[in-house]
Amino acid sequence: MKPKIWLSSPHMSGNELPYIQEAFDSNWVAPLGPNVNGFELDLQSYLKEDCHVAALASGTSALHLSLILLGVEKGDEVICQSKTFSASANPIVYQGATPIFVDSERETWNMCPVQLEIAIKDRVSKGIKPKAIIAVHLYGMPYKVDEINQVALKYEIPVIEDSAESLGSEYNGRKCGTFGDFSILSFNGNKIITTSGGGALVSKTLKNKEKAVFLATQARDNAPHYLHSQIGYNYRMSNIVAGIGRGQMTVLDSHVAKRRSNHEFYVSVFKNNDNIVFLQEPEGCFSNRWLSCILLKSKSIREGLRLSLENENIESRPLWKPMHQQPVFKNAPRYLNGVSDELFEKGLCLPSSSNLTDAELDRVVTTINTYFNK
């Protein structure tokens, strides 16, 4: 069998080992320590805005804590982008709240501002004003920040910015991860940089960052004994994992550049293939191109191409199946325009790793060309 080409694999720099070794040498192997503090400062420096970062166990835990900090409780409703991974929606259910799914627009594939306002008006007319909005920068492409935030401001609903896929992306020259009342990052193994697992919560105030850290460390009150007046969680990042993150931060920009180069390569090679359509960057958007995605003319073509790649031991994947199509959310309210359903039917993610070789890219292209020429 030919060597595996992964969709999005981890890419170590070699700069991680000194930080990890230091954690071992100093015996800092707990969910606190110099690497945790350093990683948070590295991220704050990279994002550049006046923000405060809490390093956590996952992007999902960051989203969960964001909902808690916004006071989301049982019986509340939270609007969520339907075209996303389930981790964007699951924490809503953790809190006993109801997800309200909103469809996408075609320009960025992200939450549609028009459908968002329709959803808010309808929920308010039913007597329940949504407690928060979760908007996602899908595949690294910034959502329509100005339009979404204008609707949110109009109805005084806070925005949680799901930047799990978009570290390194920008909107009008400003880093994604700085636009929401809270923002979340992910360092899962397939992300633009990785700590093997891990995530971060980005807050506009130090007070909210400190509250998040308090909740993430089992909500232990300030006392000589173990005292708890609130329910807490084991959500803090370890000093070893944070050491990996510190090393990864040194290559973040080069990883973004390589992912964008992969995308540009695919675009140039397939520019004359009428079967393949790429998502363009709207004006003001800079995507990290975490994944290079294409649209085909039909589901059968998409699935035929996916299987052809699989037969060559090349991983590809359909675009996220919308949350409103997921069995676990079958009863959730939804406000649809058909865009995310069509994207799922026709969309495919191509290998996009920052460590892809020229030979591997050629294998992908050859397989795709063979499929369309057969």
Side-chain angles (χ1 to χ4, degrees):
M1 182 177 289
K2 295 178 181 178
K4 180 81 170 185
I5 297 179
W6 298 97
L7 183 70
S8 182
S9 69
H11 185 188
M12 294 295 101
S13 68
N15 301 328
E16 299 85 4
L17 289 173
Y19 293 104
I20 297 169
Q21 190 62 51
E22 182 182 357
F24 277 96
D25 291 345
S26 61
N27 205 36
W28 277 107
V29 295
L32 74 164
N35 282 335
V36 176
N37 298 333
F39 188 35
E40 291 175 344
L41 292 174
D42 291 343
L43 287 165
Q44 288 171 194
S45 177
Y46 184 81
L47 295 173
K48 292 182 180 178
E49 302 299 320
D50 185 16
C51 61
H52 304 270
V53 176
L56 301 171
S58 65
T60 308
S61 59
L63 216 161
H64 186 200
L65 292 180
S66 297
L67 293 170
I68 293 170
L69 292 169
L70 289 173
V72 174
E73 299 175 336
K74 185 176 180 178
D76 287 335
E77 293 185 349
V78 175
I79 290 177
C80 183
Q81 186 165 312
S82 186
K83 189 71 174 174
T84 186
F85 179 56
S86 64
S88 300
N90 288 341
I92 300 170
V93 182
Y94 299 168
Q95 287 303 101
T98 299
I100 309 296
F101 293 117
V102 168
D103 217 322
S104 297
E105 37 77 17
R106 295 186 184 279
E107 198 171 11
T108 73
W109 298 355
N110 293 307
M111 183 180 286
C112 174
V114 174
Q115 291 298 123
L116 172 62
E117 185 160 22
I118 290 171
I120 293 171
K121 287 181 176 178
D122 190 55
R123 302 323 293 174
V124 170
S125 74
K126 289 176 168 57
I128 302 180
K129 179 181 175 181
K131 206 69 172 285
I133 298 165
I134 299 173
V136 185
H137 301 297
L138 200 68
Y139 303 119
M141 183 63 72
Y143 60 75
K144 294 188 173 184
V145 174
D146 289 343
E147 291 93 326
I148 295 295
N149 283 357
Q150 285 169 8
V151 174
L153 185 63
K154 179 178 178 179
Y155 294 94
E156 299 182 323
I157 302 173
V159 175
I160 299 173
E161 178 190 5
D162 185 339
S163 293
E165 303 171 6
S166 63
L167 184 60
S169 298
E170 299 178 8
Y171 180 83
N172 288 338
R174 179 171 166 178
K175 298 290 187 186
C176 291
T178 65
F179 295 106
D181 294 87
F182 291 101
S183 303
I184 72 104
L185 305 173
S186 173
F187 311 113
N188 191 29
N190 64 357
K191 294 301 188 292
I192 198 85
I193 62 169
T194 183
T195 57
S196 75
L201 184 150
V202 184
S203 168
K204 294 186 182 300
T205 68
L206 179 60
K207 180 179 179 181
N208 278 330
K209 182 236 172 129
E210 291 174 341
K211 180 67 172 177
V213 171
F214 169 73
L215 292 171
T217 49
Q218 300 290 15
R220 181 183 174 185
D221 292 329
N222 186 18
H225 52 277
Y226 287 104
L227 179 66
H228 306 273
S229 56
Q230 298 180 58
I231 295 295
Y233 305 88
N234 185 16
Y235 279 174
R236 197 66 161 127
M237 181 179 283
S238 84
N239 197 53
I240 296 172
V241 166
I244 301 174
R246 297 211 70 188
Q248 286 274 281
M249 287 298 294
T250 66
V251 293
L252 172 53
D253 287 339
S254 63
H255 281 13
V256 171
K258 181 57 168 69
R259 299 249 180 180
R260 286 179 61 83
S261 176
N262 291 339
H263 178 83
E264 290 162 7
F265 175 76
Y266 286 135
V267 171
S268 66
V269 169
F270 297 123
K271 63 183 178 181
N272 295 321
N273 189 328
D274 295 335
N275 297 286
I276 296 175
V277 175
F278 290 89
L279 177 65
Q280 304 297 315
E281 284 176 321
E283 184 178 354
C285 289
F286 176 89
S287 173
N288 65 11
R289 297 295 187 182
W290 172 56
L291 292 184
S292 291
C293 304
I294 59 175
L295 291 181
L296 291 312
K297 291 185 176 181
S298 68
K299 181 178 180 180
S300 61
I301 294 175
R302 184 214 74 191
E303 192 61 7
L305 179 56
R306 186 189 69 80
L307 292 173
S308 292
L309 290 164
E310 184 179 274
N311 288 338
E312 292 295 318
N313 208 20
I314 299 171
E315 184 182 22
S316 65
R317 186 174 299 156
L319 301 187
W320 298 125
K321 185 172 186 175
M323 291 301 100
H324 68 264
Q325 289 193 33
Q326 300 291 347
V328 71
F329 295 123
K330 64 182 179 181
N331 295 321
R334 68 281 311 272
Y335 295 83
L336 308 178
N337 56 16
V339 172
S340 61
D341 289 335
E342 182 181 351
L343 292 174
F344 173 60
E345 292 287 309
K346 299 180 179 179
L348 190 69
C349 305
L350 301 180
S352 305
S353 306
S354 53
N355 53 5
L356 275 175
T357 66
D358 290 346
E360 288 172 328
L361 283 167
D362 286 340
R363 265 183 64 196
V364 175
V365 168
T366 298
T367 303
I368 294 174
N369 283 336
T370 300
Y371 172 78
F372 284 112
N373 291 330
K374 66 184 179 180

